[in-house]
Amino acid sequence: MSKIFPKSVNSLPLQIVIYLFVLSGIATAAITYYMTPKYTRVGYAPVQPVPFSHAIHAGQLGLDCRYCHSNVEKSPNATVPASQTCMNCHSLVKANSPLLAIVRASYQSGDPVPWVRIHQVPDFAYFNHAIHVNRGISCVECHGQINQMDRVHEVQSLSMGFCLTCHRDPAKYVREPKDVFNLDSPRIAEAKGEVAAANFVHDWKINPPQNCSGCHR
């Protein structure tokens, strides 16, 4: 057999074991990082340092999403509000509440409130908030009925399959531009029918990418 196979073949089983070990390590690391609750687990609801209720602020009080998440119509990111935004109201409303001690300390020191991030797409995926809200996609499509949540939780997996479902048929999900931040508003297809929704997609030139480079840049 030595005349058929060179001596280097003797080390082949060890090389295969090493390669399999390395590959399994990479796969384990990738799954551990990208399949954690931060990315995929519907229902993920971490405890926040300050018990902020969207049900009270966005629901009962009717605050517009853009008051706290400013520039969401112009920026790829929905910014987390600074403590200054909170103190615009809470310097007068519940100004001495112990629940707001962290916010007051943040305002005085300039250090940000250590909010725990809930919704997060993987680093290899590109998502632009401004593009979506300016084309009739409401916050509730990805974040759920957030104006009814005392404690925000992840409603959608934000997976590639979830995104492609909308990209392949946006007419099912679009709203009138004036209704995007009205979280109780119906979709166009629900309010006016599928033909009106299809016409909106055509008139607004909504053609979301389905190719890889659309989101993986």
Side-chain angles (χ1 to χ4, degrees):
M1 296 297 290
S2 61
K3 296 180 179 180
I4 300 175
F5 299 103
K7 288 185 178 181
S8 59
V9 173
N10 293 333
S11 62
L12 187 59
L14 178 60
Q15 292 176 8
I16 292 174
V17 170
I18 292 174
Y19 290 148
L20 290 176
F21 180 78
V22 172
L23 287 174
S24 63
I26 293 173
T28 300
I31 291 173
T32 300
Y33 185 73
Y34 288 115
M35 297 300 289
T36 56
K38 294 181 181 179
Y39 293 101
T40 60
R41 191 173 72 191
V42 173
Y44 177 54
V47 176
Q48 298 290 351
V50 179
F52 180 89
S53 171
H54 279 77
I56 292 176
H57 292 78
Q60 294 179 26
L61 299 178
L63 287 181
D64 191 296
C65 306
R66 293 164 289 186
Y67 182 75
C68 295
H69 302 289
S70 58
N71 294 322
V72 71
E73 297 169 296
K74 302 176 182 178
S75 169
N77 303 310
T79 54
V80 176
S83 55
Q84 170 67 65
T85 302
C86 305
M87 293 303 293
N88 287 343
C89 295
H90 286 293
S91 59
L92 299 174
V93 180
K94 295 189 175 181
N96 298 313
S97 171
L99 297 177
L100 298 173
I102 293 177
V103 174
R104 292 192 295 270
S106 169
Y107 177 68
Q108 293 170 0
S109 68
D111 296 327
V113 175
W115 299 108
V116 180
R117 187 167 184 172
I118 301 173
H119 303 90
Q120 182 173 333
V121 296
D123 297 337
F124 54 74
Y126 174 76
F127 179 85
N128 187 311
H129 276 84
I131 290 174
H132 289 77
V133 299
N134 286 317
R135 286 297 182 271
I137 299 300
S138 175
C139 313
V140 299
E141 298 299 342
C142 296
H143 299 297
Q145 209 68 43
I146 202 157
N147 57 326
Q148 299 176 6
M149 297 182 189
D150 281 315
R151 182 173 168 184
V152 175
H153 61 275
E154 192 164 350
V155 174
Q156 304 289 355
S157 65
L158 307 184
S159 65
M160 184 171 69
F162 167 75
C163 297
L164 282 174
T165 298
C166 183
H167 278 213
R168 287 169 178 157
D169 191 5
K172 288 184 178 179
Y173 304 96
V174 290
R175 285 173 168 77
E176 296 285 357
K178 64 181 178 61
D179 291 333
V180 167
F181 297 103
N182 177 4
L183 305 186
D184 292 317
S185 64
R187 299 165 177 165
I188 295 176
E190 297 167 345
K192 299 181 179 179
E194 295 180 1
V195 173
N199 289 337
F200 178 86
V201 169
H202 175 269
D203 295 343
W204 282 70
K205 297 180 174 59
I206 299 174
N207 185 27
Q210 298 181 38
N211 58 305
C212 302
S213 61
C215 299
H216 304 294
R217 305 181 179 181

